[in-house]
Amino acid sequence: MFAVCVTFIIEPSKAEAFHAHINANAKASVEMEAGCQLFDVCTDPSDTAKFFLYEIYDSAAAFDEHLESAHFKSFCSDIEGMVIDKRVESFENVTAARK
């Protein structure tokens, strides 16, 4: 398992539009990419211009495929000028505890 966490700070006046674009990207990623297992979009209740993405892929290679997908490239183009800051972190699973 390969986890990717992304934090976006969005221009406040563009947060609603960004939300629509990131939701479409998340949906396409889960539906169209065999290696994308989970793509959660979260916002900070006290700051709706701050978004946190939690994505689970089968492997780092599956995430690399995501970065090359048409829907991801379209998303990047669509959000141009909306993003104030973006932080990306990735992690590999070393221990799993599940219900």
Side-chain angles (χ1 to χ4, degrees):
M1 180 192 80
F2 188 75
V4 178
C5 299
V6 184
T7 303
F8 281 100
I9 306 299
I10 303 302
E11 183 67 42
S13 65
K14 298 178 180 177
E16 190 174 327
F18 178 85
H19 194 190
H21 290 299
I22 192 58
N23 281 342
N25 182 53
K27 185 176 190 304
S29 298
V30 171
E31 290 178 355
M32 300 172 67
E33 299 174 29
C36 180
Q37 301 304 317
L38 177 77
F39 196 130
D40 287 343
V41 177
C42 308
T43 58
D44 181 340
S46 65
D47 182 0
T48 57
K50 184 175 184 181
F51 290 80
F52 175 75
L53 313 181
Y54 181 69
E55 307 168 44
I56 300 293
Y57 296 87
D58 291 340
S59 62
F63 178 64
D64 290 341
E65 289 176 22
H66 166 72
L67 297 177
E68 294 300 319
S69 69
H71 59 269
F72 179 76
K73 289 180 179 182
S74 178
F75 164 74
C76 290
S77 176
D78 291 342
I79 66 163
E80 208 167 293
M82 295 183 182
V83 179
I84 295 171
D85 191 40
K86 177 182 175 184
R87 180 177 178 190
V88 180
E89 298 179 285
S90 59
F91 304 88
E92 290 188 7
N93 186 342
V94 294
T95 305
R98 296 185 174 95
K99 259 187 174 178

